[in-house]
Every structure is written in C-alpha cells, then in structure tokens.
Amino acid sequence: MKKYYFFLTLIFFPAFVFSQVTIKHAEDFTLGTKLFFRIHAAMNTGIVAGPNQTWDYSKDNLWDDSMTEWMVLPSATTHGKDFPQATLVEKYSNGSFVYIKNNPTNGNLLAYLDTTQSLVIKYPNPALFCRRPFSYGDKVTDTFTTKASAPGFAYTGQGLATLDADAYGTLKLPNGTFPNVLHIKITDVETDTTAGGASTFAVVSVSHVWFDSSHTSALLKIDSNSSGKVTVSYLVSETTSGIEGYTKKIAIPLKASISGDNLLLFGNLQTEIEYKLSVYNSLGQSVYSTNYIADGGETHLVKLPVNLSQGIYVVSLQNESESGIVKVVK
C-alpha cells in the first residue's frame, strides 16, 4: 500500500510543481514605455484567493475614464534633481509623478508628486512595491518612512508594506482573457504624525494587482484606502519607446552614437534591405524617422536633419524580421 501511495505522489507532484505561476519582469519598465488604462471608481474588492481561480471583469460597463502613463528619465522632470537615486519616473496624464528606484530584484518607491494639489510625499526609507521574480505562495514585508507636505499641512510617518502572491488563475477583461495570471495583494499600513506632533492618524491602503508573463505592467489594478475610495483600472495597451506596432523579432545587436548631426550605427545589418529608423527623446517622443537602406559592413552613418540637444535618446531600427533598440547619450 505504501508503494501505491508513493506512485500517486510521483504522478501528481510534477503537476503541482508545473502549476506554480512565476512572474519575472513585473514593473521592470524600460525608458519610453507607454501604458494606457481604462478606469472606473466603484467595484466590490472581495477578491477570492487560492489556486486555479477565475476572475471575470469582462462584463463590467462602468469604464468611464482613462489614463495614460509614460516611463521617463528623472532628468526630464522638474523635480528629478531632488531624487538622485531615482532610475525611472512614472509620469501620469492626471498630473502626478512617481519616482522609482529599480534594481533587478526590487522596485522601490522614492516619492509621489501630485502637481494639481502641490502635494509631495517623500519616502526617505523607500517603500517596496514590487519583487522580481515572484511566485504563487511568496510573501515579503518591508518597512518604510514618509515625509509629506502640501499647502496648509505636513506630516511624517512610518509603515509596513506586505506583498502577498496569494492566488493564480485566469483573468477575464473587456479586451481579452489571460491565463496563468498571478494575483498579488499589496497592503501598506502606515502611522503618520502631523507637523508639531498635534495629532497621529493611521492609514491602510490595499492594492490588488494581476500580472502575466507577457506584460510588464499589471493587467488589472484595484486600489483602495481607509477613506473607502476604490479605483479600478485595466491595461488596454503597452507599447515600447513609442514604436507603433512593436512586436518581438530577431534581435539586432546594436550600438550607436550621436555627434552633431551625425548618427553612427554599429551593427551587422542586411545589405540593401530597407529598415525603419526612428529616434525618440527621453519622453518617448519621435524626433526623427526615415526609411534607411543599409550598406555592407558594420558601421553605418546617418545624417540627421537637425543637431539634437544634449540628452538621452532611443534609436530603433527594424524591418519585417529584425528589430534593434539602443539608448544613446549625447
């Protein structure tokens, strides 16, 4: 009988192992990524956790707003110099900015700015909001501190962030059905004290996010806080460096430099093959685009129509089967 049970274990154990969902690139954005979300502000947040779940939001008809998000360099923002540790800024169409310090394993929040309300929230001890890779069953905690100011008030505080990958399954949205999705519950418990120690108050915010292996952004976000406000957003599109119709192709090992109005490309390009050449600034805006026919060799000179100002640019070169993208500092 023991042999029989052992045999069943051998059969079902591999199925259990391969059912685990692991997300490796969550929130690991590159410069120029552009996200577009549809939004509404009311939904029941009773999320069912556990394995092999199905979450169906495909029939919701409350999507009455939208938001665009760009990944830009800190130096391209007004307050970039205030956060020298930031590696990336999430710029939102609603006037807010999120300053992030990314490394291969963690995404850490350095600051949140709402320009419409002159609100600045700094995190002297950054808040963990993402871990890479992350698998079903993983759970991590991290402490953080805050320092906020706005016209008429200010406060300092400390808190604990908890990231809990408590479910996986299939997510249904208005724009498609996504299998093998990992659900992560992010809970921030924070205690703040107003300037001068006049009063202390507690804030609890909870975010439910769903990731798959094909997107860097969360597919769905449900954010709530102690005041009872709930915001729901789902990802409509995720594009890279403003390139329309970007798809995965054979990668071209590519290097480049810009001097004056000369763009030098270093890479093994196909002779007499037409490529679409595009140059984008740090905001993901196109500053030059042309159809380029490569000559032989590995060094290629392209004359730009203008002498670009100093900064960081993204150069894209692609045809029907190949694609190369490289950052250039001028």
Side-chain angles (χ1 to χ4, degrees):
M1 186 64 68
K2 291 182 180 180
K3 291 183 180 180
Y4 176 72
Y5 284 124
F6 179 71
F7 179 69
L8 288 179
T9 301
L10 290 179
I11 293 176
F12 291 109
F13 180 73
F16 173 78
V17 171
F18 290 118
S19 70
Q20 304 307 294
V21 176
T22 298
I23 302 300
K24 298 180 180 179
H25 305 293
E27 301 285 343
D28 192 14
F29 294 111
T30 58
L31 174 69
T33 298
K34 179 180 178 181
L35 309 176
F36 179 70
F37 294 90
R38 293 299 306 276
I39 300 174
H40 71 73
M43 180 180 286
N44 184 351
T45 58
I47 309 301
V48 179
N52 298 314
Q53 298 296 324
T54 297
W55 304 279
D56 191 353
Y57 300 99
S58 61
K59 299 179 179 61
D60 290 344
N61 56 5
L62 302 174
W63 310 100
D64 56 1
D65 202 355
S66 63
M67 180 176 63
T68 303
E69 180 181 348
W70 298 270
M71 306 301 158
V72 302
L73 283 171
S75 59
T77 67
T78 303
H79 295 274
K81 62 182 181 299
D82 298 329
F83 307 103
Q85 289 185 308
T87 59
L88 195 70
V89 179
E90 298 180 359
K91 176 184 176 181
Y92 292 84
S93 55
N94 63 3
S96 61
F97 296 79
V98 176
Y99 288 80
I100 292 170
K101 180 181 179 181
N102 257 334
N103 61 46
T105 59
N106 293 337
N108 295 281
L109 176 61
L110 298 178
Y112 169 83
L113 278 67
D114 184 343
T115 57
T116 65
Q117 302 182 55
S118 299
L119 170 64
V120 179
I121 303 177
K122 300 179 181 180
Y123 294 81
N125 178 14
L128 178 71
F129 69 88
C130 189
R131 173 65 58 86
R132 296 177 290 269
F134 216 53
S135 302
Y136 173 63
D138 287 349
K139 185 175 182 179
V140 296
T141 59
D142 183 63
T143 58
F144 62 88
T145 58
T146 61
K147 183 177 182 180
S149 62
F153 82 96
Y155 67 81
T156 58
Q158 58 186 1
L160 179 71
T162 302
L163 283 63
D164 185 7
D166 61 358
Y168 68 86
T170 299
L171 177 64
K172 296 182 178 181
L173 296 173
N175 60 338
T177 298
F178 303 88
N180 300 318
V181 171
L182 182 68
H183 169 265
I184 303 173
K185 181 180 180 182
I186 304 173
T187 306
D188 290 343
V189 180
E190 183 178 337
T191 302
D192 299 318
T193 303
T194 57
S199 63
T200 299
F201 56 97
V203 177
V204 178
S205 60
V206 178
S207 294
H208 296 270
V209 290
W210 287 259
F211 289 94
D212 72 353
S213 59
S214 300
H215 298 81
T216 307
S217 169
L219 299 171
L220 179 70
K221 304 177 183 180
I222 303 179
D223 301 312
S224 61
N225 57 32
S226 299
S227 67
K229 181 181 178 181
V230 179
T231 302
V232 186
S233 56
Y234 79 88
L235 180 70
V236 176
S237 64
E238 176 179 304
T239 56
T240 304
S241 298
I243 301 170
E244 295 295 330
Y246 176 82
T247 56
K248 289 186 177 179
K249 303 178 180 182
I250 298 174
I252 305 172
L254 194 64
K255 295 182 180 180
S257 66
I258 298 176
S259 177
D261 60 355
N262 292 324
L263 168 62
L264 279 173
L265 297 172
F266 307 94
N268 187 14
L269 308 182
Q270 298 184 54
T271 305
E272 301 301 320
I273 295 296
E274 185 174 86
Y275 292 83
K276 181 179 179 181
L277 172 65
S278 302
V279 182
Y280 302 88
N281 63 18
S282 60
L283 297 176
Q285 301 166 329
S286 176
V287 296
Y288 179 63
S289 182
T290 188
N291 291 328
Y292 175 70
I293 298 178
D295 295 324
E298 294 207 6
T299 302
H300 313 273
L301 175 64
V302 179
K303 282 287 185 180
L304 300 174
V306 294
N307 188 344
L308 299 176
S309 59
Q310 291 186 342
I312 295 182
Y313 295 88
V314 175
V315 177
S316 164
L317 194 67
Q318 60 178 319
N319 58 29
E320 292 182 355
S321 61
E322 298 176 298
S323 178
I325 297 178
V326 62
K327 294 180 184 179
V328 183
V329 179
K330 183 183 179 186

